[in-house]
Amino acid sequence: MAAPMTRIEQKRATREELVRAARELFVEQGYPATSAEAIARAAGVSRATFYLHFRSKAEVVVGLMRDLEAGVAADYRALDALVDPDLEAVSAWLHRHAEQWRRSRNEYAAMEQALANEPAVADEWFAMVQRTAASMTRLLDRQPDEAARAQAHVHAVALEMSVDRNFHFAIVRGHDANFDAVVRALAEQWLVLLRR
């Protein structure tokens, strides 16, 4: 017989169930049409319980984003770790990063819908891009001074945003007829920065 869950374990399990229910509802009916009450009902808890864990459904999406951030940051650190990068290596990295997008396609779709409706989600997304670009320490540390470092960070943020937009339309929205050409164009842009 399994030991009863502690209060902390119960709280964590309830929160995880709310996130799972929210993810499913965001996929089924879209972010704007999903209410906190519907999330609570799908998770088998009361609306009040939902609000014990989250202040809003936007906070659920921020949680999804934070769950994805470690993988995204690891991907960008892997790009930064390329020694003497060339077009093929950067293109291969972009294809590997695209696999992360494919695995988390539903989460990215929910995030996109929330970005359009929730300033807090948009702010968190932008902060995440800033942090993941800052994780490219090899690129940043080899810059000759603080001004060049700041400029390299701006370039990394801009290129990461470009990857995000292009992958959103290709992977989440299914406009992938020219995906290899898009990857090559992105790789050419990244290569300029990585060789800086």
Side-chain angles (χ1 to χ4, degrees), residues 2-194:
M5 282 197 275
T6 66
R7 191 172 203 81
I8 292 170
E9 291 169 331
Q10 287 175 333
K11 186 175 181 177
R12 183 178 25 233
T14 300
R15 185 179 178 92
E16 288 172 1
E17 185 59 22
L18 285 163
V19 170
R20 184 207 56 76
R23 183 182 291 124
E24 287 180 9
L25 290 172
F26 293 155
V27 170
E28 289 171 14
Q29 57 193 40
Y31 178 85
T34 301
S35 66
E37 187 171 339
I39 295 168
R41 192 170 41 253
V45 299
S46 70
R47 187 170 170 242
T49 299
F50 174 90
Y51 285 110
L52 285 174
H53 293 272
F54 300 101
R55 289 179 295 213
S56 66
K57 67 180 183 175
E59 197 171 277
V60 176
V61 175
V62 167
L64 291 173
M65 291 169 71
R66 290 181 180 155
D67 289 347
L68 291 173
E69 184 174 348
V72 172
D75 281 357
Y76 279 94
R77 283 192 302 275
L79 174 63
D80 188 44
L82 292 176
V83 177
D84 195 24
D86 59 20
L87 192 58
E88 287 69 34
V90 178
S91 294
W93 174 84
L94 282 159
H95 281 291
R96 285 190 303 276
H97 185 55
E99 287 308 311
Q100 191 264 104
W101 272 74
R102 288 183 182 96
R103 283 190 307 275
S104 303
R105 183 179 178 275
N106 293 335
E107 287 82 355
Y108 282 109
M111 286 172 13
E112 183 64 28
Q113 291 176 0
L115 278 167
N117 292 285
E118 304 284 357
V121 174
D123 291 345
E124 180 59 27
W125 175 82
F126 188 67
M128 183 179 80
V129 171
Q130 296 280 330
R131 289 189 298 269
T132 54
S135 74
M136 298 182 74
T137 55
R138 277 186 78 234
L139 167 69
L140 300 176
D141 289 348
R142 73 173 172 263
Q143 302 308 310
D145 56 42
E146 197 55 42
R149 181 182 170 93
Q151 190 62 27
H153 183 260
V154 167
H155 281 282
V157 167
L159 288 172
E160 189 176 338
M161 289 177 157
S162 181
V163 170
D164 180 277
R165 293 294 74 204
N166 280 283
F167 281 14
H168 169 75
F169 282 99
I171 296 168
V172 177
R173 305 289 258 169
H175 301 288
D176 60 355
N178 296 317
F179 190 66
D180 287 334
V182 167
V183 163
R184 185 171 181 87
L186 289 168
E188 289 170 356
Q189 294 167 22
W190 272 106
L191 197 53
V192 171
L193 179 62
L194 293 171

